[in-house]
Every structure is written in C-alpha cells, then in structure tokens.
Amino acid sequence: PIQSVIELHNNKYESDDYFNLTPKILTYLDQNLHLKKNHPLSLIRQRIVNFFYNEYANPKGTPLFSVFDRMSPIVTVKQNFDSLLIPENHPSRAKSDCYYINREYMLRAHCTAHQVELLRSGLDNFLIVGDVYRRDEIDATHFPVFHQVDAVRVIHNDKLFKNNPDLEIFEKNYSENHNSTSIGSSEKCIDQVKQPCHTVESVKLVEYEMKNALERLVITLFGKKLKFRWVDAYFPFTQPSWELEIYHNDKWFEILGCGIMRNEILSKAGIHNSIGYAFGLGLERLAMIIYDIPDIRLFWSQDSGFLNQFNEKDLNKTIKYKPISQFPQCSNDISFWLPSELSFETFSLNDVYDVVRNIGGDIVEQVTLLDKFTHPKTGKNSLTFRIIYRHMERTLTQKEVNEVHEAISNELIKKYNIKIR
Ligand code: PHE
C-alpha cells in the first residue's frame, strides 16, 4: 500500500489501506454550516438548543444542558464504534460506507462518537452538534456530509426517585456493572422493554420523560397540527430504542433515533447508580421539511439569493423557501464493464458515487443505476448509470457537461480498471 502523510487540522496522519478520503470531501471539513449566520441549519440548531435550555433549567433559570458544537469531525474508530458497543462486524463500519483516514482514524459518521468522552469528563446533560460524513448514493436528499444534533441526559437514582424512595434504577439481583445484554446475538432477540439490569419503573419513567421532551420539541418546530408516530428501532448503544417519524406530504419521514442508554456505557465511563437517555437527529431532514427546501445541495450554496431568505432575527417565524430559479438539467449516461475478477457484489457502487462527486462536484444532481447486465457468452458484468447534471445558479452548456462527464469516465478507468462500453 502507498504510505503517505495527510495533514488535517494541524495533525499528521499516516494513510494505510483503509484511506478513502477524496479531495472533494476535504473541502467540506471546516465549513461549519450549523454555525453560519443566517443559514437554515444554524436556525434549526438554535431553535433546538433554545428548546432544551427552556425545557431543562434549574430553579434559577440556568440551563442544565451544555452545548458542544465545535468538536473536530476527525475521530478514532474507537470513538465512533467501539466506545458505543458497536460490534466488530457491524455493517455500519464498512469501508464502503464511511470515510476512513486509516485503520485508526475516520471522519465521524454520527455525533454519538463524542458521547463517551463527554460522559467521562463528568458531564450528565449535553448536546453535540456537528457535521457527519457517510458515503452514500446521490440524489436530492442524500449528500456525503450532513449535520446532526445528539443529546445525552443522565439522571441519578436519588433524583429519579426523589418522591418514591422505595424504588430503584437497578434490579436487586443485578450489579450495575453487569453487562446489560448480550449484544452480538441477533438483533431480533433484543428485549424491546428494557435491559435486564433495569427495573421496569426506572425505564418507563425515563422513556416517558424522553418521549415527552422530543414530542414537544417537534411540535415546537413543526406546529401543533403535526402528525407523528413512534417506531421500535435498534441501536447497539441504546436499549430499548425508537425512531420518531413525522407525516409530511403523504409520507412518513424518520427524523430521529433515540433510546435508553446501555448501562455498560455509563458504568465504563465511571457513572454509577444512574440511568440515561440519548438521541440523535438529522438537521437537513428537518430543515428541508420546515422551510420547503427541495434539494440538499442548496445548503452548500453560496448564493445570497438562498441565504438572504433566512434571517436569524426571525428564528421562530414561518419561512418558506422560494426557489431562486430552476435551471435546466442535462443528463448523460455511462456504461462500463467491470474488471473480470469483480462481480456486482464485490464492486462497491459507492466507489462510483465518490468519483462522480469528486470530479463532478456539486453540479451533479442525481446518479441512478439504470441497468445491470451480464454478458451471456463472456460472463462479464456491466453497469449503466445515468448522471443528471444541474447547476444551482446558472445554465450549464452541453460542452462543459461533456467535459465533466468525460473526466468522470477517465477517472473510473484509471482507478477501477473498468472498460467503457
Ligand atoms: N447515532 C444514531 C444515528 O446516527 C442516532 C442515535 C443517537 C440513536 C443516540 C440513539 C441514540 O442514526
């Protein structure tokens, strides 16, 4: 493997066979859209933070929650996965789904990556806001970078059962260091009511508080008429777990994941006799629905016609995005043969999407897999993609689209040894 040194945020990293960052991805690293003035993601961040400041304050009115919105997205694989009890073989760790610097470092795939270090530092109520990175398909709702708000709230036994001193967080026959459940077995075997160590009373009380807070948050964001529902879910770091879905334009949208924190995480972080909840929500999804923003690339637009429609002074005003203008799309197809040793299963589509994104940049609106074909005689496998190009701010000429399209196909040939059909 090629050894080279990459410098990121003033630190040097030695790349290894896991390295899969692209130059394009690196350009997103310090943009901090969630902190940018008058940016819709920043507006939603402020509304969520304000909600938690108001919802949880001590009798003097001081907010209970601390906010961390400037943590570097470069984290260790340990932080992103191991610290959260995500098994070694979990599919979310795949190279085809994450951006790795090397076997030890990566771009965080969720803000939950910081949960354990903050718990260890002694915090019990906090929010983490930041950019997260995932390799993914290309369309109007997917982008390899998006933003999340994560939260943790830990409650000590004495507080939780202040009014019921005879109740306890933990079952009598469970020591709190007891591993809460045997994860790694099938996800279907997970008890959706509680971890073995917890009493039903403690789980129900925290579940009620969490769901109540989150329901009030989404009603604050979307208005009283909102239709929502809770769906059972699975995360390795919470049990039980749920997703909250909201109804919008005749469809259900998942907007957050949450649950009761695995006790093993708390006890390993040195927090005892306590129980907690955690959640993580995606800001783009919320902003697209709240402001009627039709395309996820718009968040990265530098156009004043976009940003000027959002003003921090109107934090709680109903803002509806008015399209600056719609420029025409240009569509070009590309068909190629995979190298003979590769099958459809061993070839990663995300590798194609990364090249397209890297060379085409933000003028690529959508990539669809049109066709898979295996030649009856040679057994060779072929893929056909349609790439739709559209600039957010001007009309593209066919000539410039052709140039980009050709550059994409040249890069695919060079990197993956494919043959254009
Ligand atoms: N990290 C999860 C995700 O990105 C969301 C989550 C956070 C779920 C905290 C439960 C608790 O999908």
Side-chain angles (χ1 to χ4, degrees):
I2 336 139
Q3 285 290 322
S4 67
V5 175
I6 319 120
E7 194 169 327
L8 292 169
H9 288 171
N10 294 321
N11 283 315
K12 292 197 169 80
Y13 301 89
E14 219 155 89
S15 71
D16 59 20
D17 57 324
Y18 258 55
F19 179 84
N20 64 359
L21 300 185
T22 64
K24 183 73 193 164
I25 272 298
L26 295 177
T27 66
Y28 300 123
L29 223 50
D30 292 304
Q31 294 212 29
N32 289 323
L33 297 185
H34 61 291
L35 300 174
K36 194 167 163 172
K37 197 168 178 325
N38 297 338
H39 194 283
L41 297 177
S42 169
L43 267 56
I44 308 251
R45 167 190 56 88
Q46 292 175 65
R47 293 181 67 185
I48 294 172
V49 168
N50 289 347
F51 175 86
F52 277 91
Y53 279 174
N54 287 322
E55 181 84 4
Y56 291 105
N58 72 16
K60 284 193 189 130
T62 314
L64 228 55
F65 277 75
S66 320
V67 179
F68 298 86
D69 52 19
R70 283 155 213 271
M71 300 188 88
S72 167
I74 301 166
V75 299
T76 59
V77 174
K78 277 210 173 79
Q79 286 174 291
N80 198 84
F81 295 118
D82 304 60
S83 76
L84 294 165
L85 313 177
I86 298 173
E88 206 70 56
N89 58 354
H90 198 271
S92 63
R93 293 185 185 239
K95 252 173 98 173
S96 60
D97 288 14
C98 301
Y99 287 101
Y100 284 97
I101 302 172
N102 52 37
R103 284 171 179 267
E104 193 181 349
Y105 288 94
M106 63 185 294
L107 303 183
R108 66 183 165 218
H110 55 178
C111 280
T112 322
H114 299 288
Q115 183 177 104
V116 168
E117 58 183 295
L118 293 173
L119 285 168
R120 276 191 177 282
S121 75
L123 292 156
D124 49 6
N125 296 285
F126 53 86
L127 298 170
I128 311 156
V129 195
D131 38 339
V132 302
Y133 297 77
R134 294 186 197 173
R135 300 178 70 192
D136 216 330
E137 53 201 287
I138 300 182
D139 67 22
T141 61
H142 289 89
F143 203 77
V145 195
F146 60 100
H147 296 76
Q148 287 186 322
V149 174
D150 252 66
V152 162
R153 168 157 168 75
V154 177
I155 311 161
H156 194 272
N157 193 79
D158 301 347
K159 279 240 178 72
L160 188 68
F161 291 125
K162 202 170 52 208
N163 303 321
N164 296 287
D166 48 322
L167 294 179
E168 292 284 341
I169 288 178
F170 295 102
E171 294 277 15
K172 290 251 157 17
N173 41 354
Y174 269 94
S175 94
E176 67 168 300
N177 291 320
H178 192 284
N179 288 355
S180 46
T181 200
S182 54
I183 295 275
S185 52
S186 163
E187 294 182 6
K188 290 185 202 82
C189 297
I190 297 296
D191 185 338
Q192 184 56 33
V193 175
K194 65 177 196 68
Q195 299 166 43
C197 61
H198 290 142
T199 60
V200 179
E201 293 82 3
S202 67
V203 172
K204 288 293 165 193
L205 208 57
V206 178
E207 172 185 342
Y208 177 83
E209 179 187 314
M210 173 184 75
K211 286 185 170 174
N212 192 269
L214 289 171
E215 286 173 14
R216 291 185 329 104
L217 169 68
V218 290
I219 289 170
T220 306
L221 294 174
F222 292 94
K224 284 206 180 62
K225 290 198 197 112
L226 179 74
K227 224 166 102 181
F228 59 80
R229 67 180 183 196
W230 289 101
V231 181
D232 286 355
Y234 169 80
F235 300 102
F237 32 94
T238 52
Q239 184 196 358
S241 310
W242 298 270
E243 281 168 357
L244 180 58
E245 297 187 342
I246 63 170
Y247 198 67
H248 173 74
N249 284 350
D250 307 323
K251 269 202 255 151
W252 288 101
F253 288 90
E254 179 238 307
I255 54 158
L256 64 84
C258 65
I260 306 295
M261 296 168 73
R262 290 270 306 277
N263 187 59
E264 213 179 319
I265 294 181
L266 290 176
S267 65
K268 275 191 186 150
I271 295 172
H272 304 288
N273 219 1
S274 304
I275 183 170
Y277 74 70
F279 71 81
L281 58 79
L283 286 179
E284 274 80 354
R285 190 46 82 78
L286 293 182
M288 289 176 84
I289 297 174
I290 291 175
Y291 301 127
D292 268 344
I293 297 173
D295 191 310
I296 195 164
R297 292 177 299 162
L298 279 161
F299 294 111
W300 300 89
S301 168
Q302 305 287 346
D303 194 305
S304 58
F306 176 73
L307 292 173
N308 286 347
Q309 297 190 33
F310 303 92
N311 192 322
E312 281 178 5
K313 292 198 203 87
D314 308 324
L315 208 52
N316 298 313
K317 217 175 94 181
T318 323
I319 302 172
K320 290 292 170 197
Y321 170 71
K322 293 170 221 60
I324 321 167
S325 64
Q326 282 281 38
F327 296 94
Q329 293 178 325
C330 263
S331 123
N332 274 19
D333 294 351
I334 180 168
S335 287
F336 54 81
W337 298 107
L338 301 185
S340 48
E341 70 276 13
L342 288 185
S343 68
F344 293 130
E345 284 71 43
T346 51
F347 183 78
S348 153
L349 295 181
N350 281 344
D351 286 338
V352 176
Y353 300 145
D354 257 347
V355 167
V356 174
R357 188 79 80 179
N358 207 20
I359 307 283
D362 297 349
I363 71 165
V364 177
E365 180 172 273
Q366 195 172 0
V367 181
T368 38
L369 179 58
L370 284 189
D371 189 39
K372 283 182 177 179
F373 164 74
T374 305
H375 193 281
K377 291 226 177 76
T378 65
K380 283 202 166 191
N381 297 311
S382 137
L383 293 171
T384 302
F385 293 90
R386 171 155 298 163
I387 307 181
I388 295 177
Y389 299 88
R390 184 186 348 225
H391 201 288
M392 302 300 298
E393 282 123 23
R394 63 185 174 80
T395 301
L396 292 169
T397 65
Q398 190 63 52
K399 182 167 169 282
E400 71 185 309
V401 169
N402 289 347
E403 277 167 17
V404 174
H405 197 71
E406 192 168 323
I408 289 173
S409 88
N410 288 338
E411 181 72 7
L412 286 170
I413 295 170
K414 202 172 93 198
K415 251 185 130 163
Y416 299 111
N417 196 25
I418 53 109
K419 279 210 170 57
I420 301 294
R421 275 176 71 183

